[in-house]
Amino acid sequence: MRIWLLAIFVIIQLWSQPLDAQDLAVAAAANVRFALEDIEKAFEAKTKLKVEINYSSSGKLSTQITQGAPFDVFVSADEEYPQGLQKAGMTANAPKVYAQGTLVLWSTQPGLILKPDGKILLDARVKKIAVANARTAPYGRAAVEWLKKKGLYTKVENRLVYGESIAQTTQYILAGACEVGLTAKSMVMAEEMRGKGKWVDIDPKHHEPIRQAAVITSYGQKQHPEASRKFFDFLFSAEAKKIWKKYGYY
């Protein structure tokens, strides 16, 4: 009897313990980094699960997942990449929009007056303009679309400098390598960026909405179903929504 009781006790203890080391791996778009770091802390404190997040452009991460990268959850900067994975049979659920992003015009250079019309980009003092790569970064697509709708693209095309992700684009602007740039509002709202330069919101009417979606991958469903579902659901919790809003998402 004692042996059976001991066995039952051991099983209960194992079930009550979190998974070892890294409980799940998350692939996330670079624009959500600061917000997701806060969400990650809140999630780990609540669940005692360990999360490892890999940040890059949504396009690159989507390609990696297609090639078999062991990511449990994909937090994209748009709906298209998760939808593409779903069509390829590589997701466990339908993509769900967790937030909508905002594009901003930002500069750390003194003397430049930024306005939503973007005419500052035609100023002779602006030699380089940072934007994310439209082929892999949804914010880059939105930036190019805005430039075209405002009639600015052909006038500034030769001065555009493309970052591989919104994080690299932000670094170009922050370091002064580009006098002005188009980046995610979530980046300039981060504590590290506050008070650095000036920024203005870009009118979302001039580009497709940046609807950001997440999805559980087939790998996540197979390897870490419980942890993957918990993290996915937490992205849409009241606690997470407050964090998304804090970083300029809506």
Side-chain angles (χ1 to χ4, degrees):
M1 178 65 74
R2 288 181 180 177
I3 294 175
W4 279 107
L5 288 174
L6 179 61
I8 291 170
F9 175 77
V10 170
I11 290 171
I12 290 173
Q13 285 297 102
L14 287 172
W15 282 355
S16 66
Q17 293 299 315
L19 300 172
D20 291 334
Q22 170 196 311
D23 296 318
L24 74 161
V26 175
N31 77 89
V32 301
R33 180 168 203 140
F34 296 112
L36 202 56
E37 283 177 352
D38 285 1
I39 289 172
E40 178 189 1
K41 289 175 187 174
F43 175 77
E44 290 185 340
K46 186 173 183 177
T47 65
K48 307 307 178 188
L49 294 169
K50 300 295 182 184
V51 184
E52 182 178 315
I53 304 179
N54 183 47
Y55 296 97
S56 188
S57 67
S58 296
K60 282 192 172 182
L61 293 170
S62 179
T63 298
Q64 289 171 15
I65 292 169
T66 301
Q67 294 173 345
F71 293 123
D72 299 294
V73 178
F74 178 32
V75 183
S76 180
D78 70 355
E79 291 180 286
E80 290 180 30
Y81 286 117
Q83 287 170 349
L85 291 175
Q86 184 187 23
K87 289 176 182 176
M90 304 195 74
T91 69
N93 62 337
K96 184 177 177 181
V97 174
Y98 59 87
Q100 189 160 311
T102 301
L103 193 65
V104 298
L105 190 64
W106 183 40
S107 175
T108 59
Q109 301 302 299
L112 296 180
I113 300 174
L114 306 184
K115 293 182 180 180
D117 59 17
K119 289 182 179 178
I120 188 65
L121 301 182
L122 304 176
D123 193 297
R125 292 171 293 175
V126 176
K127 310 296 183 184
K128 294 179 181 178
I129 303 161
V131 296
N133 187 340
R135 289 177 296 176
T136 57
Y139 278 83
R141 289 203 303 268
V144 170
E145 186 181 359
W146 175 75
L147 287 169
K148 288 180 177 178
K149 287 194 175 180
K150 297 297 287 184
L152 296 167
Y153 185 77
T154 55
K155 298 175 183 177
V156 301
E157 186 178 6
N158 63 341
R159 288 186 279 148
L160 297 179
V161 176
Y162 295 96
E164 281 306 303
S165 68
I166 206 67
Q168 188 177 64
T169 304
T170 299
Q171 187 57 38
Y172 287 160
I173 306 165
L174 182 63
C178 295
E179 288 79 15
V180 186
L182 289 146
T183 188
K185 187 173 184 176
S186 58
M187 304 302 280
V188 298
M189 292 288 284
E191 196 65 41
E192 299 93 309
M193 302 294 184
R194 290 184 184 180
K196 295 181 180 179
K198 294 174 236 167
W199 56 268
V200 292
D201 285 335
I202 294 300
D203 191 338
K205 291 187 296 186
H206 298 295
H207 63 76
E208 287 296 314
I210 307 173
R211 290 165 56 84
Q212 305 192 194
V215 72
I216 298 172
T217 67
S218 297
Y219 173 88
Q221 180 63 25
K222 183 179 179 181
Q223 298 296 328
H224 309 121
E226 264 190 77
S228 297
R229 173 54 66 176
K230 283 182 179 179
F231 184 79
F232 179 83
D233 289 343
F234 193 76
L235 294 174
F236 304 91
S237 66
E239 191 171 356
K241 284 179 181 178
K242 288 180 182 177
I243 296 172
W244 293 126
K245 187 175 181 180
K246 172 186 170 184
Y247 285 90
Y249 295 99
Y250 61 98

